[in-house]
Amino acid sequence: MSLPPLVEPAAELTVEEVRRYSRHLIIPDVGMDGQKRLKNAKVLCVGAGGLGSPALMYMAAAGVGTLGIVEFDTVDESNLQRQIIHGQSDIGRSKAQSARDSVKEINPLVDVVLHEERLDNDNVMEIFSGYDLIVDGTDNFATRYLVNDAAVLLGKPYVWGSIYRFDGQASVFWAEHGPCYRCLYPEAPPPGMVPSCAEGGVLGVLCASIGSIQVNEAIKLLAGIGEPLVGRLMIYDALEMQYRSVKVRKDPNCAVCGENPTVTELIDYESFCGVVSEEASAAAIGSTITSKQLKEWIDNDEPIDIIDVREINEYEIVSIPGARLIPKNEFLMGNALQDLPQDKRIVLHCKTGVRSAEVLAVLKAAGFADAVHLGGGVIGWVNQIEPEKPVY
Ligand SMILES: [Zn+2]
């Protein structure tokens, strides 16, 4: 299924533009017409992180006339392993401004529009309405559903990508011509079931593999060439080095793009995706301790058993003194409970306190009434107690 071009061509290319884009102009499918369409195109990139970095850089180089960047974060040292639009001297700077400077260095002919704010229900419709196409580089489910619903309600296409460790996925969601993200994923996964890249890690170069697919699809949609990735999900396995594509059908019962939609305006995405499950929140009430409290218990030789519920790789990067590792899944599968001491208080921790709260709920249900978990996890511990240790 080929689709008509999203954008009308600009009136002309300047001599400078003809020189710059000559390798595009001699491709028959692109040519002057395609390049003039790119020049006229307005593309919004949500996020200037792992996927946004290669996406923005290649769209800039390709001559997409206007690039919008939604980003409120600042550049952190731990971003540089994959977010190649930023460099060492950008640490601490606004990511949006850092990304703009890189785009301008690659191609000064591009107009860059910064939206230095968190995308939310109050601004998404106004921001999206100024663009022809959205490239989604977000890393959390709440924003993904927000992007999807806003795009469906506005009738805009968007190019989606996601990355985790060695696995990547990409698709084009455009409700007028195919399925949307909700057709593929009607519900957000239960909180804690799918770790984020911050919790699970991501191979830096995977961002380039998936980000470049997103740019490829953006260019095809803008210029109206080729077979767009509408109604197909691209699945990339970097370890096996395999690309697969599977058909995705439009779901007639889809909550937002189906025949009788129940989502006809933006909803509360935080609660739709639930940061912490209800059981975990209930278990954590009155059973959450601070890093200072834990330090006191350790210093006073209190009878406690500190259990780190993260994964082995995380444990090897940084750990709390005396903590032993029992990954969360060992508790969820029921394997770990019989090995727990009955004469010591159990203190659980993870990276930031989300996974440990889930395990706390399991322990409470199994009768460990005085078990507690560490609010803020090992990250909070390092910040407050051992700042010389690394965080990730
Ligand atoms: Zn749908």
Side-chain angles (χ1 to χ4, degrees):
M1 172 186 59
S2 61
L3 294 171
L6 258 181
V7 181
E8 289 302 310
E12 58 173 15
L13 296 184
T14 64
V15 172
E16 183 189 5
E17 286 166 339
V18 170
R19 278 203 309 266
R20 175 177 284 265
Y21 304 123
S22 63
R23 299 301 185 277
H24 273 170
L25 302 179
I26 55 179
I27 305 175
D29 284 320
V30 182
M32 284 295 275
D33 182 73
Q35 194 65 47
K36 285 178 183 172
R37 292 183 195 276
L38 296 184
K39 179 178 178 176
N40 236 4
K42 295 185 168 72
V43 177
L44 180 71
C45 190
V46 183
L51 292 173
S53 288
L56 285 165
M57 293 167 86
Y58 270 108
M59 286 194 290
V64 172
T66 303
L67 284 174
I69 304 172
V70 185
E71 180 64 70
F72 66 93
D73 206 358
T74 53
V75 179
D76 183 81
E77 192 177 16
S78 67
N79 300 148
L80 302 182
Q81 160 262 16
R82 65 197 177 285
Q83 300 180 17
I84 56 165
I85 203 167
H86 315 295
Q88 181 70 23
S89 61
D90 297 315
I91 293 173
R93 289 185 71 203
S94 143
K95 275 192 186 178
Q97 293 173 23
S98 163
R100 175 199 56 203
D101 292 353
S102 297
V103 164
K104 285 289 190 183
E105 178 64 21
I106 291 167
N107 188 348
L109 305 178
V110 176
D111 283 332
V112 182
V113 182
L114 299 188
H115 306 275
E116 290 192 77
E117 51 195 324
R118 189 187 290 269
L119 199 66
D120 62 25
N121 289 25
D122 294 330
N123 59 23
V124 66
M125 302 300 263
E126 193 187 334
I127 294 176
F128 278 20
S129 59
Y131 294 90
D132 303 303
L133 176 73
I134 319 294
V135 171
D136 182 15
T138 54
D139 59 356
N140 69 83
F141 288 98
T143 311
R144 245 175 230 168
Y145 282 96
L146 171 67
V147 168
N148 181 73
D149 292 357
V152 172
L153 294 172
L154 289 165
K156 304 258 179 197
Y158 79 102
V159 190
W160 168 81
S162 100
I163 46 174
Y164 179 69
R165 293 189 175 166
F166 293 95
D167 298 319
Q169 299 185 350
S171 191
V172 172
F173 296 117
W174 193 357
E176 283 174 25
H177 298 282
C180 79
Y181 180 75
R182 278 185 191 264
C183 294
L184 180 60
Y185 299 111
E187 282 180 31
M193 286 296 290
V194 178
S196 66
C197 287
E199 290 174 312
V202 60
L203 187 73
V205 71
L206 182 71
C207 302
S209 308
I210 300 301
S212 67
I213 290 177
Q214 291 182 281
V215 175
N216 188 62
E217 292 308 308
I219 289 173
K220 282 159 59 185
L221 291 166
L222 296 169
I225 55 177
E227 284 287 313
L229 200 54
V230 173
R232 286 184 294 151
L233 173 67
M234 200 71 197
I235 301 170
Y236 174 55
D237 180 337
L239 273 186
E240 296 294 325
M241 190 42 72
Q242 275 185 339
Y243 280 100
R244 292 189 293 133
S245 105
V246 297
K247 275 211 165 71
V248 183
R249 281 174 222 289
K250 195 174 178 75
D251 178 2
N253 299 315
C254 175
V256 66
C257 83
E259 286 155 14
N260 298 297
T262 52
V263 176
T264 53
E265 55 185 29
L266 301 175
I267 61 169
D268 180 346
Y269 295 92
E270 292 292 340
S271 74
F272 177 71
C273 296
V275 175
V276 178
S277 72
E278 283 177 29
E279 295 83 9
S281 323
I285 294 170
S287 299
T288 302
I289 61 165
T290 63
S291 297
K292 288 207 172 87
Q293 174 89 67
L294 178 58
K295 177 79 164 63
E296 272 179 37
W297 287 358
I298 294 172
D299 291 345
N300 297 337
D301 273 333
E302 299 275 341
I304 55 171
D305 190 359
I306 308 171
I307 296 174
D308 184 341
V309 302
R310 296 174 300 156
E311 303 297 320
I312 179 97
N313 291 330
E314 302 179 271
Y315 183 77
E316 285 174 354
I317 295 170
V318 61
S319 62
I320 293 176
R324 62 192 180 108
L325 182 72
I326 307 180
K328 184 186 82 175
N329 260 357
E330 297 294 314
F331 290 96
L332 300 188
M333 311 283 278
N335 302 334
L337 290 171
Q338 65 264 29
D339 299 331
L340 296 182
Q342 299 288 342
D343 56 344
K344 287 181 177 174
R345 175 181 270 209
I346 308 288
V347 180
L348 300 165
H349 87 82
C350 62
K351 182 180 181 184
T352 59
V354 175
R355 281 172 284 175
S356 58
E358 300 284 333
V359 174
L360 184 64
V362 174
L363 256 60
K364 296 265 182 192
F368 292 87
D370 67 348
V372 294
H373 88 130
L374 176 63
V378 69
I379 300 295
W381 169 272
V382 169
N383 286 339
Q384 290 177 30
I385 311 293
E386 295 188 284
E388 66 282 4
K389 284 191 171 175
V391 290
Y392 60 98

